[in-house]
Amino acid sequence: MNNDKSKAPKKFHLSQRHHMTIPWNSFIQNENVPARNASLRERASIVGRIGIIMLSCGTGAWRVRDAMDNVARKLELTCSADIGLISLEFTCFSNEHSYTQVLSLPNTGVNTDKLNILENMVKNFDDDFSSLTVRQIHHIIDKVQERPKQYTPVASGLAAALACSAFIFLLGGGIPEMICSFIGAGIGNWTRAIMGKHSMTTIASIAISVAVACLTYMYTFKIFEFYFQVLAQHEAGYIGAMLFVIPGFPFITSMLDISKLDMRSGLERLAYAIMITLVATLVGWLVALIFNFRPENFLPLGLSPIVIMLLRLPASFCGVFGFSIMFNSSRKMAMVAGFIGALANTLRLELVDLTSMPPAAAAFFGALLAGLIASVVNRYNGYPRISLTVPSIVIMVPGLYIYRAIYNIGTNQIAVGALWLTKAALIIMFLPLGLFVARALLDKEWRHFD
């Protein structure tokens, strides 16, 4: 079973759809009974539907299970769930009876706006929803599930352009690299958004959008090189054009799920993130081979440490704000995440520059700071922690390291590639560890397994 509510195209018969729509209204047996007094089957349908929609938003298994448990308790049920990347199996118990459902999604993605609405719904379920009828609750869930994305493909493209141009500055790139990355990433993510609206498969949309982004960067750079005599060394920034595909949410949530022993969800998310990363870097490598572009070091910017630090704050804000918009956060939520990311990422970079601290250790402290601030913000305005922390640290994911690893392995420089891959793996492991420690310090529920 799945949770896909989109209508089948007219030219296809419904039976040809690989993922079929669940007729949730068919579970309704009594129109006038409050949900808490409804049958086991009706109440379980509410629990499962909220869980599968939360899963579709990209959040981890622990949060999905916690939401399902909270709703089940309000409906006087006991719930046990097994959760993966795009599917969940759960059983609800009531007295001597039980009811089991298996639900699945056609695809995965990230939607922090919808996640915020669902978390508020779960938090206020006892006061606002448990006295409603089953049909009324399903009608409210219908509105949440069918809620359109807040941003058009053009807006998503601009958000990626802003994020990647800021990203490339934080990596050490200058104005030529930033402009070319802005254009390449913007057109690339616009392409991905258009393909997403037509339900293209994940691998195809990633591969084509990365190819478009890289080719756009290459041609833009050639124009700059020919007409404005830009130095050839500025070609090093082409990695920035593809950074909009960094699978930050699955990378981070995979490690958090593994840390809570949700091994199925964690390993599936990790495999998905690795697949996206490999497809993106391999496509980028192939395009670079065509143009004979190599991942060289960036030219020195010639700025003092104080100026660089002051510029890193707004650049980090812009990068995190752009990624938040790509995750469909509201503008206010994106700004909050941007401020958190500005502080956390600047701390990370300054620790690397001003001390002898390795990048992986600095990433831990940056993520720790982001997690601590996000926990305080969560208590103040209720924004989901993951909607704030992941955008604020996704800019710390070492996309440049991963690309250099694949490039060097692809050119048979195995030792160099393994070195870059090891550096990237250490940083990726320390980022969720910082979030885990912050959550364990400030969330007593997270500290315990029961």
Side-chain angles (χ1 to χ4, degrees), residues 352-369:
V352 173
D353 286 352
L354 302 180
T355 70
S356 58
M357 184 176 293
F364 168 80
F365 287 107
L368 176 63
L369 178 61

Side-chain angles (χ1 to χ4, degrees), residues 248-259:
F249 253 85
F251 260 136
I252 302 304
T253 55
S254 70
M255 296 300 179
L256 292 176
D257 280 348
I258 290 173
S259 71

Side-chain angles (χ1 to χ4, degrees), residues 32-258:
N32 301 317
V33 175
R36 62 164 59 95
N37 298 326
S39 68
L40 170 59
R41 182 169 175 261
E42 290 173 295
R43 287 178 287 164
S45 72
I46 296 172
V47 175
R49 193 175 183 193
I50 288 177
I52 197 66
I53 299 177
M54 288 198 70
L55 188 63
S56 72
C57 297
T59 192
W62 188 88
R63 178 55 62 197
V64 174
R65 181 179 291 106
D66 185 59
M68 295 175 70
D69 289 347
N70 285 334
V71 173
R73 291 189 187 98
K74 304 307 179 184
L75 296 177
E76 300 179 1
L77 296 172
T78 300
C79 179
S80 178
D82 182 29
I83 303 166
L85 173 65
I86 60 171
S87 64
L88 65 85
E89 298 86 42
F90 75 100
T91 300
C92 284
F93 302 86
S94 179
N95 298 323
E96 72 276 14
H97 300 289
S98 65
Y99 184 80
T100 299
Q101 280 188 334
V102 179
L103 306 173
S104 68
L105 298 163
N107 200 0
T108 185
V110 179
N111 192 324
T112 54
D113 172 60
K114 192 180 292 186
L115 178 62
N116 184 41
I117 295 172
L118 286 168
E119 288 209 358
N120 287 326
M121 181 179 177
V122 171
K123 186 185 303 181
N124 301 316
F125 192 87
D126 192 32
D127 297 330
D128 300 338
F129 300 101
S130 60
S131 60
L132 300 178
T133 66
V134 175
R135 182 175 295 280
Q136 288 172 325
I137 293 177
H138 276 300
H139 180 66
I140 293 171
I141 299 175
D142 282 340
K143 292 183 177 180
V144 177
Q145 187 170 338
E146 295 168 359
R147 182 179 173 88
K149 288 193 174 182
Q150 299 189 81
Y151 307 104
T152 64
V154 172
S156 296
L158 289 174
L162 178 66
C164 291
S165 60
F167 209 146
I168 207 66
F169 169 78
L170 295 169
L171 291 173
I175 292 177
E177 294 95 328
M178 292 175 66
I179 295 174
C180 294
S181 295
F182 184 95
I183 298 173
I187 296 177
N189 200 47
W190 173 81
T191 302
R192 183 172 67 158
I194 292 295
M195 296 181 71
K197 292 184 69 174
H198 291 84
S199 302
M200 296 294 292
T201 60
T202 299
I203 290 182
S205 62
I206 293 295
I208 293 175
S209 61
V210 168
V212 169
C214 291
L215 288 171
T216 302
Y217 183 99
M218 304 300 188
Y219 284 117
T220 304
F221 178 77
K222 291 297 183 182
I223 292 172
F224 276 37
E225 188 178 29
F226 183 79
Y227 288 103
F228 301 99
Q229 288 74 52
V230 173
L231 296 177
Q233 289 88 333
H234 288 291
E235 70 184 28
Y238 73 92
I239 178 63
M242 69 175 80
L243 293 177
F244 63 90
V245 299
I246 288 178
F249 253 85
F251 260 136
I252 302 304
T253 55
S254 70
M255 296 300 179
L256 292 176
D257 280 348
I258 290 173

Side-chain angles (χ1 to χ4, degrees), residues 286-302:
L286 290 174
V287 175
L289 287 180
I290 295 173
F291 285 82
N292 196 30
F293 274 23
R294 299 183 181 185
E296 303 292 343
N297 292 325
F298 294 102
L299 292 176
L301 296 177

